Amino acid sequence: MLISDCHTDFITAFSVNKSFEYFNELSNGSIINLALFTDDLFYFDIKKILTLYKFYQKKYKNIKFLKSIENISSLKKEEIINLNPFCVSLTWNYDNEYAGGALEDGSLTKKGIEAVKYFDSENILIDAAHLNRKSFFELNKIYQIKFNSHTAFFDLKKHKRNIDDQQIKIIIENNGIIALTLVNKFLSDYNYKKNDVNTIRENLDFFISKYGYNNLSVGTDFGGTFDLPLDINTYKDFYILKEHLLQKGFSDEIINAIFYENFNEFLKRNNLKI
């Protein structure tokens, strides 16, 4: 299946052999964002990370692999430059010297503002996925926010990691991409251990009914969690999701846009590093 996945943690969280089970299911031209999750850096050093990226690129020539960094606070500037990511997030769930993390109340700092200006000058996107609301709106004053690599919607699940109507509209106004995560605890208010394709469809329906589908994609967080819907655990399971969406009235055009084309076009129009 042709997939654009805006966020995975394969590069730090999974063994190489484990990731094969996922990548073998992908069609030529699929795009996978391999995020370097810095809280797991005790498993790897930067040199090994770069070697692993090259290994994936060589083994899977049919897949476009992107590099990104989830939480820059553990890395030196030179390390970030060497990784040459297409996007970075300033934080993870907690406040740091750059900004406020999703689960805390900190602000965008002077150091954070300087970092944003530097990344913008290098055409490296700021990923807003793990910013809290305060830092998001502070960032919006100095930077055109275009990307959230893995999130869900506050109107459906009132979780601090999810984004609300105002944040969604800002990203859409900037012709950006919002990628729906598959992490259960962000998807619904009812018993999330029973989440399945219906829950995913409900989230897609919510977004499309309010905002259309042109700015919507997926950011599975595969490799970073096992808290996934019952029937969607690998890319192979996207066939199940597609069949369910078709039965519920989604067109092939809309499914292809969400699964692949929207993110692919976003990368092209922003001339990002792939």
Side-chain angles (χ1 to χ4, degrees), residues 59-238:
K59 181 173 177 62
Y60 294 98
K61 293 184 175 68
N62 61 318
I63 300 173
K64 297 177 184 178
F65 289 110
L66 309 180
K67 290 181 287 184
S68 65
I69 300 171
E70 189 171 21
N71 185 7
I72 61 170
S73 65
S74 299
L75 300 178
K76 298 175 183 177
K77 184 177 180 180
E78 310 83 67
E79 292 174 321
I80 297 172
I81 293 171
N82 285 339
L83 284 164
N84 194 31
F86 91 98
C87 78
V88 299
S89 64
L90 301 178
T91 64
W92 188 51
N93 285 333
Y94 308 108
D95 297 348
N96 62 25
E97 66 269 34
Y98 295 101
L103 303 185
E104 296 191 328
D105 300 312
S107 297
L108 183 67
T109 67
K110 181 179 179 180
K111 187 174 182 179
I113 293 171
E114 291 171 354
V116 168
K117 290 179 179 178
Y118 168 76
F119 292 128
D120 194 29
S121 72
E122 294 293 317
N123 198 32
I124 297 172
L125 279 178
I126 304 299
D127 179 4
H130 279 279
L131 289 175
N132 62 27
R133 281 178 51 79
K134 184 190 296 184
S135 287
F136 180 98
F137 291 114
E138 289 168 345
L139 175 63
N140 185 54
K141 293 177 181 178
I142 64 163
Y143 174 80
Q144 199 174 62
I145 302 173
K146 295 181 179 180
F147 189 50
N148 189 313
S149 67
H150 58 307
T151 190
F153 313 124
F154 193 78
D155 280 4
L156 294 184
K157 171 65 177 180
K158 290 175 172 49
H159 192 289
K160 287 186 175 182
R161 268 283 281 111
N162 291 344
I163 58 175
D164 64 18
D165 183 72
Q166 192 175 0
Q167 292 169 294
I168 292 169
K169 287 179 178 178
I170 286 170
I171 296 174
I172 291 176
E173 286 168 2
N174 294 331
N175 202 15
I177 284 289
I178 297 163
L180 178 67
T181 186
L182 300 186
V183 178
N184 271 325
K185 63 185 174 183
F186 305 143
L187 291 176
S188 72
D189 265 329
Y190 55 82
N191 185 352
Y192 70 82
K193 291 183 179 180
K194 294 183 179 180
N195 285 345
D196 57 12
V197 289
N198 286 290
T199 314
I200 299 170
R201 175 183 50 78
E202 288 167 2
N203 277 265
L204 297 176
D205 268 335
F206 165 79
F207 189 98
I208 293 169
S209 66
K210 293 191 73 171
Y211 315 107
Y213 64 87
N214 293 322
N215 303 92
L216 182 60
S217 189
V218 290
T220 64
D221 214 7
F222 284 160
T225 184
F226 295 103
D227 180 24
L228 295 163
L230 293 173
D231 40 11
I232 307 293
N233 289 272
T234 72
Y235 295 121
K236 184 178 181 179
D237 297 331
F238 269 67

